[in-house]
């Protein structure tokens, strides 16, 4: 098993470099304003490499006004050495495809859809995402042989395909209009200080597609509503994952753990390492 810790900024890099991990990546899927500036990323990537770990950067989904900037940042970072670049839209993937030293990964924001059968089983919990062969072939055309997925995602076995599974968290949605920025009445880039402060919530209403209106979730269905966490413009469900379900490659998002919890979680994914030893 390989373990990657994901940070949105380098603020916790000292802590993470002291853990028995194989890789560290910096960035997130949802918002270009949150991505650290190029100079900061250069310094962080250098430190990760010097520690002997695989270095990665996560490029958020590119809107029209940010696409060129994100690609330029990636090319600049790749210019200093081999880099794993997680992309979250096909436009960025197409632009970076074939770039020497750039190992492309399909990010969590590129997850395929979830089966929706609420009419038949309304009290069922989240359906896992399903990767179809046609979708994997589409990614392969961009030179992408690695995908990020939630722990329960259904991914066909294919020669050369590497699946990196996100431990303990299921990503659900990214909003183009950020609810966190609106809540704090801030605009980019002044809102980035609020991005890593979580907001916990649970769904109380749902949109009834058949009737075209919003309705309260019936009391009988409420136990099946998983707790939700909002970070910036992203919504996640917390879904504890066993080491076996994490599979061969695991991604641990540091935002969901205190330093003590992160050390314990890494140790649980790599049982041969004692949490007390670092």
């Amino acid at each position: 098993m390989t373990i990657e810790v994901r940070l949105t900024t380098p603020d916790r890099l000292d802590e993470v470099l002291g853990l028995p991990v194989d890789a560290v990546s910096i960035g997130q899927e949802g918002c270009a304003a949150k991505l650290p500036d190029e100079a900061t990323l250069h310094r962080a990537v250098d430190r990760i490499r010097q520690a002997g770990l695989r270095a990665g950067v996560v490029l958020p989904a590119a809107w029209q006004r940010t696409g060129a900037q994100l690609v330029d940042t990636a090319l600049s970072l790749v210019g200093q050495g081999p880099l794993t670049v997680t992309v979250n839209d096909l436009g960025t993937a197409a632009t970076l495809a074939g770039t020497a030293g750039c190992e492309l990964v399909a990010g969590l924001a590129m997850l395929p859809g979830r089966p929706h059968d609420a009419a038949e089983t309304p009290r069922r919990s989240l359906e896992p995402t399903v990767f179809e062969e046609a979708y994997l072939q589409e990614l392969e055309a961009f030179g992408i042989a690695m995908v990020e997925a939630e722990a329960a995602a259904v991914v066909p076995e294919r020669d050369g395909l590497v699946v990196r599974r996100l431990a303990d968290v299921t990503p659900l949605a990214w909003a183009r209009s950020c609810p966190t920025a609106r809540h704090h009445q801030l605009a980019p880039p002044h809102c980035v200080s609020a991005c890593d402060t979580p907001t916990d919530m649970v769904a109380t209403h749902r949109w009834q597609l058949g009737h075209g209106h919003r309705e309260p979730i019936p009391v009988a269905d409420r136990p099946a509503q998983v707790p939700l966490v909002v970070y910036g413009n992203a919504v996640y469900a917390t879904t504890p994952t066993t080491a076996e379900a994490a599979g061969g490659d695991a991604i641990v998002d540091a935002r969901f753990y205190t330093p003590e919890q992160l050390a314990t979680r890494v140790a649980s994914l790599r049982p041969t390492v004692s949490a007390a030893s670092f």
Side-chain angles (χ1 to χ4, degrees):
M1 170 181 284
T2 62
I3 300 174
E4 172 183 322
V5 171
R6 178 149 300 168
L7 302 170
T8 55
T9 72
D11 291 349
R12 295 177 66 180
L13 191 54
D14 286 339
E15 167 199 340
V16 172
L17 291 180
L19 300 178
V21 299
D22 306 287
V24 180
S25 58
I26 297 177
Q28 37 69 51
E29 297 79 23
C31 178
K34 181 63 176 174
L35 190 68
D37 64 77
E38 195 172 302
T40 300
L41 286 172
H42 272 284
R43 290 192 295 270
V45 167
D46 275 340
R47 291 191 60 199
I48 296 167
R49 288 199 185 105
Q50 289 166 8
L53 306 178
R54 186 184 73 231
V57 62
V58 182
L59 298 181
W63 310 125
Q64 186 174 8
R65 72 179 186 276
T66 61
Q69 171 200 343
L70 293 175
V71 169
D72 289 346
T73 297
L75 293 175
S76 175
L77 292 167
V78 171
Q80 75 182 79
L83 185 71
T84 297
V85 179
T86 299
V87 295
N88 283 287
D89 63 89
L90 291 177
T92 305
T95 306
L96 294 175
T99 301
C102 180
E103 179 184 54
L104 289 182
V105 184
L108 295 166
M110 291 176 66
L111 283 171
R114 300 176 187 280
H116 180 76
D117 61 353
E120 289 74 26
T121 54
R123 295 184 180 90
R124 192 169 182 174
S125 58
L126 288 174
E127 293 275 6
T129 55
V130 178
F131 286 76
E132 302 287 350
E133 283 285 354
Y135 179 59
L136 295 176
Q137 291 172 12
E138 182 83 8
L139 296 179
E140 192 176 27
F142 294 100
I144 296 177
M146 283 170 285
V147 298
E148 296 179 356
E150 64 197 66
V154 179
V155 188
E157 291 188 10
R158 302 179 87 231
D159 289 341
L161 178 67
V162 176
V163 183
R164 296 175 179 162
R165 296 184 182 270
L166 182 62
D168 302 326
V169 180
T170 298
L172 299 178
W174 291 267
R176 188 164 185 173
S177 178
C178 178
T180 299
R182 292 200 308 272
H183 175 71
H184 292 281
Q185 298 183 8
L186 297 168
H190 308 291
C191 52
V192 297
S193 60
C195 283
D196 286 342
T197 300
T199 300
D200 298 327
M201 66 180 188
V202 65
T204 59
H205 289 70
R206 64 186 176 194
W207 188 260
Q208 178 54 260
L209 295 176
H211 301 155
H213 66 269
R214 194 170 67 105
E215 67 177 18
I217 293 174
V219 173
D221 292 354
R222 290 180 184 176
Q225 305 306 305
V226 296
L228 303 176
V229 179
V230 178
Y231 273 110
N233 68 339
V235 181
Y236 303 89
T238 52
T239 49
T241 306
T242 64
E244 293 76 15
D249 286 354
I251 301 171
V252 183
D253 189 329
R255 290 177 296 181
F256 292 86
Y257 307 88
T258 65
E260 295 76 16
Q261 290 170 341
L262 183 61
T264 300
R265 189 57 175 127
V266 168
S268 72
L269 292 170
R270 181 163 284 156
T272 58
V273 178
S274 168
S277 66
F278 44 83

